[in-house]
């Protein structure tokens, strides 16, 4: 896939360490803007219930001072857009509770996401963000600028 | 002070929870861009050595996957700028180990800082980032978008 094989052939890189929320759910998600149209999200999350669908999305803020609940609503550039640009559908864990996923989007850019948060819900995407539906944010992490996927320890930040 | 008394009279707000690094050092730092020229930084950090000067600065990345060491170098828009735009001088703790500080800068904007990291060094700003000087990053946190200082729980993100 474009942008995942080289060292500097991308327009920005970010990382989110998913370590806030339900104690048993933890993960690491990496983001690459491989060209102006293509955001690639690569993640591994552990501690999910095998087989359940979990909505994964960007929320407006990266403020975790009150856990995942201070991260605001799902990110959209225009509230009439359905689904919101911050909605990436669902992830599903295998029998070991681990979900490994690669998601691409041409609806959102990495520079719109930096400083906001990734959220994993306990429910599927057709139930998340819906008034009156039971919903819980089981994991979240701030989307932080990183030096890139395959960068060495010189840590020259490309973003 | 401008931008600190109202609810929406600012151009952006951010927060950094300082919880990575030396276990005893913890803090919370809030950022407001009160107008296009004025960044206001308000912070409280506990666990410092009373009376010691500690450099405080923005580093390039918000990647804390290897603790404060994966945050890259001090942020600057141009390496010839001295001090770097990300250098804010020193904080000093009182006899209880707590530093409470307000810093303003017209050299850096909040939207340049979002997704990067705040770092506190164990040494003063005239020794930090200098080759050959003993230096340790004792505390860091990702600079995350927040909904604003005095916002209620509606969590409408203004940034
Ligand atoms: Zn969501
Ligand atoms: Zn520094």
């Amino acid at each position: 896939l474009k942008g995942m094989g080289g060292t500097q052939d991308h327009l920005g890189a970010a990382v989110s360490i998913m370590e806030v929320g339900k104690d048993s759910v933890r993960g690491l998600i990496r983001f690459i803007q491989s060209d102006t149209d293509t955001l690639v999200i690569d993640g591994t999350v552990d501690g999910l219930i095998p087989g359940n669908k979990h909505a994964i999305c960007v929320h407006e803020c990266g403020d975790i001072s009150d856990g995942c609940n201070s991260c605001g609503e799902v990110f959209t550039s225009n509230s009439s857009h359905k689904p919101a640009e911050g909605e990436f559908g669902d992830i599903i864990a295998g029998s070991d509770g681990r979900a490994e996923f690669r998601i691409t989007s041409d609806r959102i850019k990495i520079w719109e996401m930096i400083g906001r948060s990734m959220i994993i819900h306990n429910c599927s995407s057709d139930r998340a963000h819906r008034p009156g539906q039971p919903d819980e944010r089981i994991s979240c992490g701030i989307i932080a600028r990183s030096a890139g996927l395959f960068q060495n320890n010189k840590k020259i930040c490309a973003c």
Side-chain angles (χ1 to χ4, degrees), chain A:
Chain A
L1 195 66
K2 266 190 303 184
M4 303 301 272
T7 54
Q8 296 292 345
D9 55 341
H10 61 78
L11 302 176
V15 62
S16 185
I17 302 173
M18 307 294 282
E19 60 180 2
V20 178
K22 205 176 158 190
D23 281 342
S24 55
V25 181
R26 290 289 180 268
L28 184 73
I29 303 178
R30 291 192 176 275
F31 309 84
I32 291 280
Q33 188 73 36
S34 60
D35 58 44
T36 51
D37 290 327
T38 313
L39 170 73
V40 182
I41 302 173
D42 249 310
T44 302
V45 177
D46 283 309
L48 300 171
I49 297 172
N52 279 23
K53 284 185 175 181
H54 295 277
I56 184 167
C57 40
V58 184
H59 280 231
E60 294 168 324
C61 300
D63 182 352
I64 52 169
S65 57
D66 186 28
C68 304
N69 290 322
S70 41
C71 293
E73 302 305 320
V74 65
F75 172 74
T76 182
S77 61
N78 182 323
S79 60
S80 72
H81 292 172
K82 304 291 176 196
E85 286 86 346
E87 295 188 80
F88 296 121
D90 296 301
I91 57 173
I92 305 176
S95 57
D96 57 355
R98 167 171 288 194
E100 292 182 294
F101 51 91
R102 173 168 289 189
I103 297 166
T104 61
S105 176
D106 61 2
R107 301 182 69 229
I108 190 170
K109 314 300 180 194
I110 204 168
W111 43 87
E112 296 176 302
M113 299 168 64
I114 297 279
R116 304 188 193 275
S117 55
M118 286 301 284
I119 301 257
I120 296 172
H121 294 263
N122 71 336
C123 61
S124 59
S125 55
D126 54 358
R127 289 171 179 265
H129 318 131
R130 302 287 185 281
Q133 291 284 352
D135 186 10
E136 190 194 347
R137 300 170 182 192
I138 57 173
S139 184
C140 60
I142 305 168
I143 302 168
R145 294 178 200 240
S146 73
L149 265 187
F150 302 105
Q151 194 111 25
N152 67 21
N153 284 332
K154 292 293 287 179
K155 301 187 186 91
I156 299 157
C157 187
C159 50

